[in-house]
Amino acid sequence: MSDLITTAVYLLMATVFLVIAGWKGLAFLREPSLTLALMTAAFFLGGLVYAMASPAGYRYIGDVFNQPWAATLPIYVGILLCYADTHILTLLWTPASTTPRHRIRQLVTAWVAAYAAAIAAMTLTFLHARLDGPADPLKFNTQQANDPAALAFLAILLTVLSCGTLSTFLRARRTVPEDPRIAYAMRWFGGSMLVTFGYVICSAPAIAAAALGYHQLEGVGVAGAGFGILGCLGTCYGMTGAAVTAWLKERRDIRLLQPLWNLVVRDVDQRFAFSPASAEPPRWVNVRFGLHRRVIEILDGIRELRSWADTDVGHAVSGPQDEPLAKRDLEAMSTAAILRDAVARYQASRAPRTSAHALPVPAPAGTAQDLPGADIEAQDERNRLVLVARYLNHPLVTQAVDLAAQRREAGPAAAAPTRDATTEQRR
């Protein structure tokens, strides 16, 4: 692989890491926590490492310090710090149920001390190494393996990297956190650590052969960098996949709730909207805030319509006899029908009468009526409203609303159809 292609790949990886670092950094500013601080630091450091490890960055640092191989030390120390960060996150996220918290703190402290000692030893051995020849960024491991200090430097790196990646892999495999988002991250952490260990598998024999004077395995050592890139991509997804998935679902739910918002807020009273900009939901930033705001605005609109609600309209909704609807679907369809009918009555009460013979719209009942599913838990409200929005234009809902309108046009003497009668009429 040419230096130009390698530089492009590494700088692309650096960009990915730095973008995620900025994202996690903003999240940390909103909700400071140790987890977000570690994530931000890991991604920021990873971005710097990839920028320095690119052939262009590597040679630039060499020119600045007048030492072709000078970039090797900060790059390898940065790599170790990134994986140490991931390892510590895994320890914090996956405490065994029988392990006391103080034992977890002791374990974290021990690993931090081990990584610090390894970095100190790597720095010492690197500074004592006699590095010669022009720099080839991807072949330091094999070209400098003949120097005892450089060989010790590489041995420390590979040993600690092996222990850290395999320990993280085993920890992620053995412990399943209760939080599904963390469990999702752990699955990817475990896999990415195993892939990263492929770097050690490729590098160790190539370095050993080079130390003995045989350079036939240099290509294998260079190929190990590919495992490192794949492992980093897996780690990136592990730390961001759950958040990205949640963000996409939030955007989807905002879009699905738009018709319901139009019905109970825009068509009822726009004062329920947080601001005039509420009509245009957020698309890229503040999505979670926008979704929460949308749910609150919809609930305010529904509360205003409760006194206009006619529960008989909801009773007129029922699924086919051969395929009964689930309770949650039936409740959502009933709620959709009641809301559509309530909005129609609300709007008709405020519209001017077109003729002297037009029947006045009955005033709302004295007490507000509860809608189906009103006793749901607060954390399930979003899903309920999304389901109601999905059913707003369902044929059964439209039929129930039309039947209610026809019944009112027929006058107060017309009896409200029961659920069985409506079903029979539909059949």
Side-chain angles (χ1 to χ4, degrees):
M1 189 161 53
S2 69
D3 282 359
L4 184 60
I5 296 176
T6 304
T7 296
V9 171
Y10 276 41
L11 291 182
L12 177 61
M13 290 293 297
T15 302
V16 170
F17 269 72
L18 293 176
V19 167
I20 298 175
W23 177 25
K24 295 297 181 182
L26 291 175
F28 172 78
L29 293 177
R30 290 194 301 269
E31 300 178 16
S33 67
L34 177 61
T35 295
L36 287 173
L38 290 174
M39 284 186 178
T40 304
F43 282 115
F44 181 73
L45 185 58
L48 293 182
V49 166
Y50 268 109
M52 290 188 296
S54 66
Y58 197 100
R59 293 194 172 95
Y60 174 78
I61 295 175
D63 292 340
V64 169
F65 289 94
N66 198 27
Q67 167 52 261
W69 301 101
T72 303
L73 179 60
I75 289 171
Y76 282 18
V77 168
I79 290 172
L80 203 56
L81 285 173
C82 286
Y83 284 99
D85 197 309
T86 305
H87 189 185
I88 299 305
L89 273 176
T90 305
L91 293 173
L92 294 174
W93 279 351
T94 58
S97 57
T98 58
T99 306
R101 294 300 303 179
H102 71 87
R103 173 58 182 155
I104 297 298
R105 288 194 294 269
Q106 292 173 355
L107 195 59
V108 169
T109 302
W111 274 107
V112 169
Y115 282 116
I119 291 172
M122 286 173 60
T123 303
L124 185 63
T125 53
F126 184 85
L127 294 178
H128 281 79
R130 296 183 178 180
L131 308 177
D132 56 5
D136 189 335
L138 297 180
K139 294 183 179 180
F140 173 87
N141 294 359
T142 52
Q143 290 188 357
Q144 303 300 324
N146 59 329
D147 182 82
L151 188 60
F153 167 81
L154 294 171
I156 296 169
L157 170 70
L158 295 183
T159 300
V160 178
L161 192 60
S162 298
C163 294
T165 54
L166 293 180
S167 177
T168 304
F169 166 71
L170 294 174
R171 185 88 182 184
R173 295 274 295 181
R174 282 198 297 254
T175 310
V176 179
E178 295 181 359
D179 190 327
R181 294 171 298 178
I182 296 180
Y184 184 89
M186 285 299 97
R187 287 196 298 271
W188 279 91
F189 271 16
S192 64
M193 291 302 106
L194 195 60
V195 171
T196 301
F197 185 65
Y199 172 81
V200 178
I201 294 175
C202 291
S203 298
I207 293 171
L212 297 174
Y214 302 99
H215 291 265
Q216 289 84 352
L217 297 181
E218 273 191 353
V220 176
V222 172
F227 286 97
I229 292 175
L230 292 176
C232 285
L233 290 174
T235 303
C236 285
Y237 189 77
M239 289 191 187
T240 61
V244 170
T245 301
W247 181 78
L248 291 174
K249 288 181 179 178
E250 288 164 357
R251 289 193 65 212
R252 179 205 64 187
D253 287 354
I254 287 177
R255 175 175 52 82
L256 292 175
L257 287 171
Q258 186 68 38
L260 183 58
W261 186 90
N262 292 341
L263 179 72
V264 303
V265 177
R266 187 194 64 185
D267 297 344
V268 174
D269 192 339
Q270 293 197 29
R271 289 179 300 174
F272 297 138
F274 180 76
S275 70
S278 292
E280 291 294 331
R283 299 185 181 278
W284 301 106
V285 297
N286 294 328
V287 173
R288 180 165 299 177
F289 173 78
L291 177 60
H292 291 170
R293 184 184 67 194
R294 180 129 304 191
V295 169
I296 292 171
E297 291 170 353
I298 289 173
L299 291 175
D300 287 342
I302 291 176
R303 190 176 297 109
E304 175 71 12
L305 293 168
R306 283 176 56 198
S307 57
W308 293 89
D310 183 354
T311 54
D312 287 338
V313 180
H315 293 159
V317 177
S318 62
Q321 295 297 314
D322 54 341
E323 296 181 8
L325 290 169
K327 180 182 177 181
R328 62 192 296 269
D329 293 290
L330 185 59
E331 286 183 346
M333 292 177 68
S334 299
T335 303
I338 292 171
L339 289 176
R340 284 183 55 182
D341 178 71
V343 170
R345 294 177 63 199
Y346 179 90
Q347 291 175 336
S349 70
R350 282 152 176 74
R353 296 170 61 183
T354 56
S355 68
H357 301 288
L359 294 174
V361 177
T367 58
Q369 303 187 51
D370 287 332
L371 274 63
D375 57 346
I376 198 169
E377 296 291 335
Q379 63 267 22
D380 299 324
E381 194 70 77
R382 165 185 163 189
N383 292 333
R384 181 179 80 96
L385 294 179
V386 167
L387 194 59
V388 171
R390 287 181 183 273
Y391 281 123
L392 275 181
N393 296 312
H394 193 279
L396 295 179
V397 172
T398 300
Q399 186 179 45
V401 174
D402 291 343
L403 286 174
Q406 293 170 12
R407 188 175 74 244
R408 292 195 185 93
E409 289 178 0
T418 64
R419 185 181 304 182
D420 293 339
T422 305
T423 303
E424 185 65 30
Q425 183 179 14
R426 183 165 53 252
R427 295 170 65 188

